[in-house]
Each structure stands twice: as C-alpha cells, then as structure tokens.
C-alpha cells in the first residue's frame, strides 16, 4: 500500500502555528532530513504536546504517536491527552537525535521536527526555524544546533574583537606600569661617559 503525503501548509496551519511556535517545510518533491522546527515554551511534554498536535492534526491528519530522546525532556509521559484523542509517547536514547521529535500518523506517515530548546533567544530560534524548514535541507537536527552554536560563538568572538579595536587594541607596554620596577634611562652611545 502506498500512502501519499500532502505536506502543503494550509491557511489554518499558518494561523494556528503562532501559538505552537512552529515552522514547516513547504511542499516540495525534494525531500529533506527535517520537516520543520518546533520551539516549545517549556520542557513539559504534557503541557506542550497538545498545542503542537492540535496544529498538526489540522495540517497532516491525526497525530497518534510521538517519539523523543530523553536527553532534553525530564519527564516523558506514556500518553498525552490531545483534543479528541490520546497521543502515545515513546523514547529512544541511542537511536534518535536528541534535538529531534518524530511524529507519526496512521493516515499520513511520519514527520521529523527539530526541537529548539525553550531557553533559546528569539533571534537564534528564528534562524533555526528557517534553516529547518528549508526545502531539501541536508543537516540533521543536531547538525543545525551545532551550526547555531558555531554562529553564536563566532558572533561573540567578533564582538570581543570589535571591543578590542574600539579600546585601542592591545595595551602598550610601559616599564613604569610594572609594579616594583623603575624605568631605566636609555643612553645613546654618543652620550655615554659624559
């Protein structure tokens, strides 16, 4: 049996996604490693999953199962009540990327979402959501998170360098600045012995 998955984003999906902080990959014949990104407000699956499944049920069909890696979720309930149904939750440690959420629907298939940590800044989350929703994206969830970390660290290094430049660069060495040292008088050879 072949299942055709229509990944188009409907108007209903777009208007509801603001409450779920969700970015989905547009419909395309070019598959990518991720189908979008989700930025939950907390690490509480009982509180966060119903909002997500409400949006995705309208877009993709009823979500029946969710799989997470427990690295970033302190409590993983076996079942989460959603509007009109219950979602079963499973977890895998070694088999699943710690930054990925897998959603399953009997009718429509599987989707993989990058999970952006709740404490992420809005600017970083926006970059990650855009990157995860790129058609044909070849970075894994952990790959995207590593890229964002490298981007942030490069920005911090650049900020330190700019600060260095505005402060006049490295401090000039002066012997009188060293404690306990008196400056020596330098004599040129023609003045020695006088």
């Amino acid at each position: 049996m072949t299942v055709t998955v229509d990944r188009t984003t409907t108007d209903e999906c777009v208007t509801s996604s603001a409450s779920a902080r969700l970015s989905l990959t547009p419909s395309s014949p070019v598959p990518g490693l991720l189908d979008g990104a989700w930025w939950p407000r907390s690490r509480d699956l009982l509180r966060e999953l119903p909002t997500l499944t409400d949006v995705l049920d309208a877009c993709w069909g009823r979500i029946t199962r969710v799989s997470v890696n427990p690295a970033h979720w302190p409590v993983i309930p076996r079942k989460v009540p959603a509007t009109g149904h219950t979602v079963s939750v499973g977890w895998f440690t070694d088999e699943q990327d710690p930054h990925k959420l897998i959603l399953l629907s009997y009718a429509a298939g599987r989707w993989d979402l990058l999970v952006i940590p709740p404490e992420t800044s809005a600017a970083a989350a926006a970059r990650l959501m855009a990157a995860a929703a790129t058609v044909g994206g070849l970075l894994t969830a952990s790959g995207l998170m590593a890229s964002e970390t490298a981007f942030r660290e490069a920005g911090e290094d650049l900020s330190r360098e700019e600060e260095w430049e505005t402060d006049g660069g490295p401090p000039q060495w002066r012997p009188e600045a060293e404690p306990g040292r008196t400056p020596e008088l330098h004599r040129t050879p023609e003045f020695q012995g006088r």
Side-chain angles (χ1 to χ4, degrees):
M1 177 177 149
T2 304
V3 176
T4 304
V5 178
D6 180 16
R7 295 178 189 248
T8 56
T9 305
T10 62
D11 289 337
E12 182 181 349
C13 219
V14 171
T15 57
S16 298
S17 68
S19 63
R21 299 195 314 182
L22 179 68
S23 173
L24 302 176
T25 305
S27 180
S28 170
V30 180
L33 293 179
L34 295 169
D35 299 300
W38 175 47
W39 184 23
R41 289 176 169 75
S42 73
R43 294 188 185 276
D44 182 354
L45 282 172
L46 273 172
R47 191 171 105 201
E48 299 295 334
L49 273 180
T51 305
L52 178 65
T53 57
D54 284 350
V55 172
L56 294 179
D57 284 354
C59 297
W60 292 339
R62 182 176 284 195
I63 304 299
T64 55
R65 297 188 64 77
V66 172
S67 173
V68 298
N69 184 309
H72 299 293
W73 301 102
V75 176
I76 301 173
R78 294 190 62 169
K79 301 218 180 266
V80 173
T83 305
H85 67 290
T86 301
V87 177
S88 298
V89 181
W91 56 271
F92 298 95
T93 53
D94 297 330
E95 299 87 0
Q96 186 169 334
D97 187 320
H99 298 285
K100 184 168 71 173
L101 176 80
I102 298 173
L103 301 137
L104 301 168
S105 169
Y106 288 127
R110 169 185 165 157
W111 296 272
D112 295 356
L113 297 180
L114 165 68
V115 178
I116 300 169
E119 61 275 5
T120 303
S121 71
R127 285 189 299 272
L128 287 165
M129 291 180 106
T134 301
V135 173
L138 297 176
L139 285 178
T140 63
S142 284
L144 284 173
M145 293 303 294
S147 292
E148 178 58 32
T149 299
F151 179 81
R152 187 186 72 244
E153 289 172 352
E156 290 170 358
D157 288 346
L158 183 59
S159 175
R160 282 192 292 271
E161 185 176 316
E162 287 172 351
E163 182 179 331
W164 173 280
E165 292 296 325
T166 59
D167 285 346
Q172 299 296 319
W173 179 78
R174 294 177 317 193
E176 64 272 6
E178 290 184 23
R181 180 174 171 145
T182 57
E184 297 176 10
L185 297 175
H186 297 283
R187 298 186 198 242
T188 57
E190 68 241 15
F191 292 116
Q192 286 183 4
R194 287 189 178 190

